Amino acid sequence: MSERRPRILSGVQPSGELHLGNYFGAIAQHVRLQDEGDAFYFIADYHALTTVHDAERLAALTRDVAATYLALGLDPQKATFFRQSDVPEVHELTWMLECVTGMGLLERAHSYKDKVAKGIHPSVGLFTYPALMASDILIYQADLVPVGQDQVQHIEMCQDMAQSFNSRFGRRERDAEGVERVVGPLKRPEYKLSPTPKVPGTDGQKMSKSYGNTIPIFASGKRLKKAVNSIVTDSRDPKREPLDPDACNAFAIYALLHDEDEVAALAEQYRRAPEVGFLGYGVTKKAIIERMQERFGPARERYEALKRPGSELDDVLREGALRARAVARETIAACRQATGLGPLLSA
Ligand code: TYM
């Protein structure tokens, strides 16, 4: 009997232009993993509603995220790609999960506390965000969730919620050795970090749409220059003293875009700056700009074309939603049965 391929699932919010943190923390591995399992990727527009309160902007950002993924190599023949809000059943499972989740679990969420500290209005939606995210994962029976470091706590919460649900509503069975175990309708997922799970922003904090410290993947020309030149560096003079690659934001971003030998060569120049006449951080920034143009320039053209009305993007999302919704409905049916809500009446 052939084994089921692992289901790989992840989402990204359309709450701003996607940036190098999203790329190296998530998108690059999402594209790689579409060859290794049954991949489901979605645009988390319900989640973005916690911060984006402008209809036109939400619609444009949703299109922007879809075009970014497709331009960067997501293949809709291999991966199921859809908008979160095209599968409204996700809210039904969210509610069931909320009913078995203690307030304390959500109160410990770092992401909620960070966002509120940054001045985002603490709405109920922002507070219950992790339950919707758990439902996103559990409704598609995901095995593996590839994400950046900042999402790990959310996935651990999802594991807790799956366990609470299954232990309340699952069936108790004995295995061959007589050991009792609970078999429930929800599958415990694992997270998978990218090799670069915490990409720093231009100010050295985590690169984030909400911190205003991003380098957008498809920025070009003056906008790209401005973003890269805003990377904060120290005031050491390379003519007089060595520079420290390990303490340099520009170096960290350079390292994402260059191979091992190039990175080692630049580190050497930093450490021997006065001896080798290294000109300083401007050199690193120029190299970042050039490499970004080489690396993302061709995809940028595809991205622009995909964003235009009438491109294949709408069909891709529609197809993806149909496939995703069929899976979601199976999980909902099993959960309705397990909880005693029972089957939906057919119309
Ligand atoms: P979001 O939209 O903030 O980010 C999308 C993905 O990019 C990663 N990421 C980073 N990785 C490394 N360094 C950074 N500076 C950086 N910034 C962002 C994130 O870790 C993420 O993998 N809650 C999620 C969206 C979501 C989701 C889900 C994800 C909703 N439902 C279900 C997985 C499964 C979020 O806000 O990601």
Side-chain angles (χ1 to χ4, degrees):
M1 201 176 77
S2 73
E3 287 224 335
R4 175 168 92 89
R5 295 202 306 156
R7 170 135 321 133
I8 295 162
L9 171 135
S10 202
V12 57
Q13 285 194 75
S15 52
E17 218 176 342
L18 298 189
H19 51 71
L20 291 185
N22 297 124
Y23 184 76
F24 288 104
I27 303 172
Q29 72 159 344
H30 294 169
V31 171
R32 235 182 359 260
L33 288 169
Q34 67 188 350
D35 291 314
E36 289 177 28
D38 178 17
F40 274 48
Y41 299 130
F42 63 92
I43 307 164
D45 53 351
Y46 280 140
H47 275 115
L49 211 49
T50 56
T51 53
V52 182
H53 296 160
D54 173 327
E56 270 177 38
R57 186 168 146 75
L58 184 61
L61 286 171
T62 300
R63 224 179 153 73
D64 197 83
V65 170
T68 302
Y69 263 83
L70 293 170
L72 290 172
L74 182 136
D75 179 349
Q77 301 299 326
K78 294 181 181 166
T80 298
F81 186 44
F82 59 103
R83 277 193 329 169
Q84 182 186 32
S85 64
D86 282 327
V87 188
E89 286 81 357
V90 73
H91 291 298
E92 194 172 349
L93 181 58
T94 305
W95 178 251
M96 295 186 213
L97 295 174
E98 283 171 357
C99 291
V100 295
T101 301
M103 290 285 285
L105 187 78
L106 295 183
E107 278 164 359
R108 286 193 289 279
H110 307 308
S111 160
Y112 174 75
K113 288 190 244 178
D114 285 355
K115 285 181 178 163
V116 173
K118 293 266 177 240
I120 296 176
H121 174 62
S123 63
V124 175
L126 195 67
F127 183 68
T128 58
Y129 182 117
L132 175 57
M133 179 159 160
S135 176
D136 286 330
I137 297 170
L138 300 172
I139 206 166
Y140 301 110
Q141 305 284 338
D143 297 290
L144 210 59
V145 188
V147 286
Q149 180 70 46
D150 59 349
Q151 298 301 318
V152 167
Q153 192 196 29
H154 285 153
I155 295 165
E156 289 169 346
M157 290 175 155
C158 170
Q159 293 169 336
D160 286 351
M161 290 183 211
Q163 162 148 23
S164 305
F165 186 94
N166 284 344
S167 66
R168 292 234 191 18
F169 299 118
R171 281 177 287 115
R172 266 151 237 289
E173 283 182 357
R174 283 190 191 281
D175 63 17
E177 274 96 55
V179 179
E180 190 181 90
R181 60 191 189 110
V182 178
V183 183
L186 300 179
K187 190 165 187 48
R188 177 192 160 98
E190 300 297 335
Y191 60 81
K192 181 174 168 62
L193 290 180
S194 85
T196 47
K198 192 172 177 192
V199 173
T202 53
D203 57 359
Q205 290 189 78
K206 181 193 81 160
M207 188 177 286
S208 165
K209 288 167 245 175
S210 50
Y211 299 173
N213 63 358
T214 68
I215 303 180
I217 300 169
F218 290 132
S220 63
K222 280 195 191 139
R223 218 161 67 85
L224 175 59
K225 262 197 186 155
K226 192 167 167 225
V228 174
N229 287 334
S230 73
I231 299 174
V232 178
T233 46
D234 63 32
S235 56
R236 288 193 203 191
D237 178 357
K239 287 200 206 80
R240 292 172 198 282
E241 55 179 330
L243 305 180
D244 180 1
D246 300 325
C248 174
N249 294 325
F251 185 87
I253 294 172
Y254 176 98
L256 296 167
L257 293 155
H258 292 78
D259 68 29
E260 246 176 67
D261 292 346
E262 291 168 319
V263 174
L266 185 68
E268 180 72 3
Q269 296 213 41
Y270 267 53
R271 293 194 183 103
R272 299 178 52 210
E275 274 167 76
V276 298
F278 182 60
L279 295 175
Y281 303 119
V283 173
T284 316
K285 292 181 179 177
K286 190 160 171 274
I288 293 174
I289 294 170
E290 282 170 9
R291 186 54 60 87
M292 280 195 65
Q293 276 163 342
E294 268 168 49
R295 176 101 172 237
F296 300 118
R300 190 189 312 124
E301 286 172 27
R302 288 199 295 281
Y303 158 79
E304 294 297 348
L306 281 159
K307 277 204 300 181
R308 284 187 207 119
S311 79
E312 74 227 50
L313 190 149
D314 303 290
D315 286 342
V316 166
L317 293 179
R318 192 172 311 113
E319 278 289 307
L322 291 176
R323 274 191 266 162
R325 203 163 186 201
V327 178
R329 283 182 165 161
E330 278 179 30
T331 307
I332 288 294
C335 292
R336 288 186 67 111
Q337 160 123 33
T339 52
L341 291 170
L344 263 185
L345 290 178
S346 48

Short mmCIF file of all heavy atoms in Angstrom, two decimals, residues 9-13 19 21-22 25-26 42 44 47 129 133 136-137 145 147-148 150-151 196-199 206-207 209, ligand 1:
data_model
loop_
_atom_site.label_atom_id
_atom_site.label_comp_id
_atom_site.label_asym_id
_atom_site.label_seq_id
_atom_site.Cartn_x
_atom_site.Cartn_y
_atom_site.Cartn_z
N LEU A 9 1.74 22.50 5.03
CA LEU A 9 0.80 23.62 4.94
C LEU A 9 1.40 24.88 5.55
O LEU A 9 2.08 24.81 6.57
CB LEU A 9 -0.48 23.26 5.69
CG LEU A 9 -1.45 24.44 5.85
CD1 LEU A 9 -2.87 24.02 5.52
CD2 LEU A 9 -1.40 25.03 7.25
N SER A 10 1.16 26.01 4.89
CA SER A 10 1.55 27.26 5.53
C SER A 10 0.74 28.43 4.96
O SER A 10 0.10 28.30 3.91
CB SER A 10 3.05 27.52 5.35
OG SER A 10 3.49 28.41 6.37
N GLY A 11 0.79 29.56 5.67
CA GLY A 11 0.04 30.73 5.24
C GLY A 11 0.86 31.99 5.42
O GLY A 11 1.82 32.01 6.19
N VAL A 12 0.46 33.01 4.68
CA VAL A 12 1.13 34.31 4.83
C VAL A 12 0.06 35.39 4.79
O VAL A 12 -0.90 35.31 4.01
CB VAL A 12 2.22 34.48 3.75
CG1 VAL A 12 1.68 34.37 2.36
CG2 VAL A 12 2.96 35.80 3.91
N GLN A 13 0.21 36.37 5.66
CA GLN A 13 -0.81 37.42 5.73
C GLN A 13 -0.62 38.46 4.63
O GLN A 13 0.50 38.93 4.42
CB GLN A 13 -0.68 38.19 7.03
CG GLN A 13 -1.17 37.48 8.24
CD GLN A 13 -1.29 38.47 9.39
OE1 GLN A 13 -2.21 39.27 9.43
NE2 GLN A 13 -0.36 38.41 10.30
N HIS A 19 8.62 40.69 2.05
CA HIS A 19 9.99 41.19 2.18
C HIS A 19 10.98 40.03 2.32
O HIS A 19 10.58 38.86 2.35
CB HIS A 19 10.06 42.13 3.39
CG HIS A 19 9.47 41.55 4.65
ND1 HIS A 19 10.08 40.54 5.35
CD2 HIS A 19 8.31 41.81 5.31
CE1 HIS A 19 9.35 40.22 6.40
NE2 HIS A 19 8.25 40.96 6.40
N GLY A 21 12.51 38.89 4.81
CA GLY A 21 12.22 38.01 5.96
C GLY A 21 11.22 36.94 5.55
O GLY A 21 11.40 35.75 5.83
N ASN A 22 10.17 37.34 4.85
CA ASN A 22 9.18 36.36 4.37
C ASN A 22 9.84 35.39 3.39
O ASN A 22 9.57 34.19 3.41
CB ASN A 22 8.01 37.04 3.64
CG ASN A 22 7.21 37.96 4.52
OD1 ASN A 22 7.04 39.14 4.22
ND2 ASN A 22 6.72 37.45 5.64
N GLY A 25 12.59 33.29 5.34
CA GLY A 25 12.01 32.55 6.47
C GLY A 25 10.97 31.55 6.00
O GLY A 25 10.74 30.53 6.64
N ALA A 26 10.30 31.86 4.87
CA ALA A 26 9.15 31.03 4.52
C ALA A 26 9.06 30.70 3.02
O ALA A 26 9.12 29.53 2.64
CB ALA A 26 7.87 31.74 4.98
N PHE A 42 -1.68 29.14 1.61
CA PHE A 42 -2.81 30.05 1.47
C PHE A 42 -2.47 31.47 1.89
O PHE A 42 -1.51 31.72 2.62
CB PHE A 42 -4.03 29.54 2.25
CG PHE A 42 -3.80 29.48 3.72
CD1 PHE A 42 -4.12 30.56 4.53
CD2 PHE A 42 -3.24 28.37 4.31
CE1 PHE A 42 -3.90 30.52 5.89
CE2 PHE A 42 -3.01 28.31 5.67
CZ PHE A 42 -3.33 29.39 6.46
N ALA A 44 -3.54 34.43 4.06
CA ALA A 44 -4.33 34.50 5.30
C ALA A 44 -5.04 35.86 5.40
O ALA A 44 -4.69 36.71 6.21
CB ALA A 44 -3.42 34.25 6.50
N HIS A 47 -6.86 36.65 8.69
CA HIS A 47 -5.92 37.12 9.71
C HIS A 47 -5.53 38.58 9.48
O HIS A 47 -5.40 39.36 10.42
CB HIS A 47 -4.65 36.24 9.71
CG HIS A 47 -4.80 35.00 10.54
ND1 HIS A 47 -4.77 33.74 10.01
CD2 HIS A 47 -4.97 34.85 11.87
CE1 HIS A 47 -4.93 32.86 10.99
NE2 HIS A 47 -5.05 33.50 12.12
N TYR A 129 -6.53 35.25 17.48
CA TYR A 129 -5.77 34.94 16.26
C TYR A 129 -5.17 33.53 16.28
O TYR A 129 -5.28 32.78 15.31
CB TYR A 129 -4.69 36.03 16.16
CG TYR A 129 -3.77 36.03 15.00
CD1 TYR A 129 -3.75 37.09 14.10
CD2 TYR A 129 -2.84 35.02 14.80
CE1 TYR A 129 -2.86 37.13 13.04
CE2 TYR A 129 -1.96 35.04 13.74
CZ TYR A 129 -1.97 36.10 12.86
OH TYR A 129 -1.09 36.13 11.81
N MET A 133 -5.53 30.40 13.59
CA MET A 133 -4.35 29.81 12.94
C MET A 133 -4.29 28.29 13.20
O MET A 133 -3.95 27.52 12.30
CB MET A 133 -3.09 30.51 13.45
CG MET A 133 -1.84 29.95 12.84
SD MET A 133 -0.47 31.11 12.96
CE MET A 133 0.88 29.95 12.75
N ASP A 136 -6.66 26.73 10.85
CA ASP A 136 -6.08 26.67 9.50
C ASP A 136 -5.27 25.40 9.29
O ASP A 136 -5.28 24.80 8.22
CB ASP A 136 -5.03 27.78 9.30
CG ASP A 136 -5.63 29.16 9.14
OD1 ASP A 136 -6.74 29.27 8.63
OD2 ASP A 136 -4.93 30.13 9.53
N ILE A 137 -4.52 25.06 10.33
CA ILE A 137 -3.58 23.93 10.21
C ILE A 137 -4.34 22.61 10.36
O ILE A 137 -4.18 21.69 9.57
CB ILE A 137 -2.49 24.06 11.30
CG1 ILE A 137 -1.69 25.36 11.07
CG2 ILE A 137 -1.58 22.84 11.32
CD1 ILE A 137 -0.74 25.73 12.22
N VAL A 145 4.43 22.13 9.13
CA VAL A 145 4.12 23.54 8.89
C VAL A 145 5.43 24.34 8.79
O VAL A 145 6.06 24.63 9.80
CB VAL A 145 3.24 24.10 10.03
CG1 VAL A 145 2.74 25.50 9.68
CG2 VAL A 145 2.06 23.19 10.30
N VAL A 147 7.65 27.40 8.65
CA VAL A 147 7.47 28.80 9.06
C VAL A 147 8.80 29.39 9.54
O VAL A 147 9.78 28.66 9.74
CB VAL A 147 6.48 28.93 10.24
CG1 VAL A 147 5.05 28.73 9.81
CG2 VAL A 147 6.85 27.97 11.37
N GLY A 148 8.80 30.69 9.79
CA GLY A 148 9.91 31.35 10.46
C GLY A 148 9.75 31.23 11.98
O GLY A 148 8.68 30.84 12.49
N ASP A 150 9.20 33.27 14.35
CA ASP A 150 8.16 34.01 15.06
C ASP A 150 6.82 33.27 15.13
O ASP A 150 5.94 33.65 15.90
CB ASP A 150 7.96 35.40 14.43
CG ASP A 150 7.56 35.33 12.97
OD1 ASP A 150 7.63 34.23 12.37
OD2 ASP A 150 7.18 36.36 12.40
N GLN A 151 6.67 32.20 14.34
CA GLN A 151 5.38 31.47 14.35
C GLN A 151 5.42 30.21 15.20
O GLN A 151 4.40 29.52 15.34
CB GLN A 151 4.97 31.11 12.91
CG GLN A 151 4.74 32.31 12.01
CD GLN A 151 3.65 33.23 12.55
OE1 GLN A 151 2.61 32.78 13.03
NE2 GLN A 151 3.90 34.53 12.51
N THR A 196 17.13 29.88 7.71
CA THR A 196 17.31 31.25 8.21
C THR A 196 15.99 31.72 8.82
O THR A 196 15.24 32.49 8.21
CB THR A 196 17.72 32.20 7.06
OG1 THR A 196 16.85 31.95 5.95
CG2 THR A 196 19.15 31.99 6.64
N PRO A 197 15.68 31.26 10.03
CA PRO A 197 14.33 31.47 10.56
C PRO A 197 14.08 32.84 11.18
O PRO A 197 12.95 33.16 11.51
CB PRO A 197 14.22 30.39 11.63
CG PRO A 197 15.61 30.14 12.07
CD PRO A 197 16.50 30.40 10.90
N LYS A 198 15.17 33.65 11.34
CA LYS A 198 14.93 34.98 11.92
C LYS A 198 15.78 36.00 11.17
O LYS A 198 16.94 36.24 11.52
CB LYS A 198 15.28 34.96 13.41
CG LYS A 198 14.79 36.20 14.10
CD LYS A 198 14.95 36.14 15.59
CE LYS A 198 14.51 37.47 16.20
NZ LYS A 198 14.90 37.59 17.59
N VAL A 199 15.20 36.56 10.14
CA VAL A 199 15.94 37.51 9.30
C VAL A 199 15.85 38.90 9.93
O VAL A 199 14.75 39.37 10.24
CB VAL A 199 15.31 37.52 7.88
CG1 VAL A 199 15.92 38.61 7.01
CG2 VAL A 199 15.48 36.15 7.23
N LYS A 206 13.81 41.92 14.30
CA LYS A 206 13.25 41.02 13.28
C LYS A 206 12.65 41.84 12.13
O LYS A 206 11.96 42.84 12.39
CB LYS A 206 12.16 40.17 13.94
CG LYS A 206 11.52 39.19 13.01
CD LYS A 206 10.25 38.59 13.60
CE LYS A 206 9.05 39.49 13.46
NZ LYS A 206 7.75 38.85 13.56
N MET A 207 12.92 41.44 10.88
CA MET A 207 12.30 42.17 9.77
C MET A 207 10.80 41.89 9.80
O MET A 207 10.37 40.75 9.87
CB MET A 207 12.89 41.71 8.43
CG MET A 207 12.43 42.56 7.26
SD MET A 207 13.16 42.13 5.66
CE MET A 207 14.82 42.74 5.80
N LYS A 209 6.66 43.50 8.65
CA LYS A 209 5.81 44.51 8.01
C LYS A 209 5.37 45.54 9.03
O LYS A 209 5.21 46.71 8.72
CB LYS A 209 4.56 43.82 7.43
CG LYS A 209 4.83 42.98 6.21
CD LYS A 209 3.63 42.09 5.86
CE LYS A 209 3.97 40.63 6.01
NZ LYS A 209 2.89 39.68 5.81
P1 TYM B 1 3.37 36.38 8.39
O1 TYM B 1 2.48 36.84 7.30
O2 TYM B 1 3.77 37.35 9.45
O3 TYM B 1 4.71 35.79 7.78
C1 TYM B 1 4.71 34.81 6.76
C2 TYM B 1 5.88 33.86 6.96
O4 TYM B 1 7.11 34.61 6.93
C3 TYM B 1 7.88 34.31 8.10
N1 TYM B 1 8.63 35.52 8.50
C4 TYM B 1 9.93 35.52 8.80
N2 TYM B 1 10.85 34.53 8.81
C5 TYM B 1 12.12 34.87 9.15
N3 TYM B 1 12.50 36.14 9.46
C6 TYM B 1 11.61 37.15 9.48
N4 TYM B 1 12.00 38.39 9.78
C7 TYM B 1 10.26 36.87 9.13
N5 TYM B 1 9.12 37.63 9.04
C8 TYM B 1 8.14 36.78 8.65
C9 TYM B 1 6.86 33.94 9.15
O5 TYM B 1 7.45 33.17 10.19
C10 TYM B 1 5.86 33.15 8.33
O6 TYM B 1 6.27 31.81 8.18
N6 TYM B 1 0.32 33.88 11.42
C11 TYM B 1 1.05 33.77 10.18
C12 TYM B 1 0.17 33.46 8.98
C13 TYM B 1 -0.63 32.22 9.16
C14 TYM B 1 -0.14 30.88 9.17
C15 TYM B 1 -1.28 30.07 9.36
C16 TYM B 1 1.14 30.34 9.04
C17 TYM B 1 -1.98 32.17 9.34
N7 TYM B 1 -2.37 30.87 9.45
C18 TYM B 1 -1.16 28.66 9.42
C19 TYM B 1 1.25 28.94 9.12
C20 TYM B 1 0.12 28.13 9.30
C21 TYM B 1 1.74 35.12 9.92
O7 TYM B 1 1.32 36.12 10.39
O8 TYM B 1 2.77 35.06 9.06
#
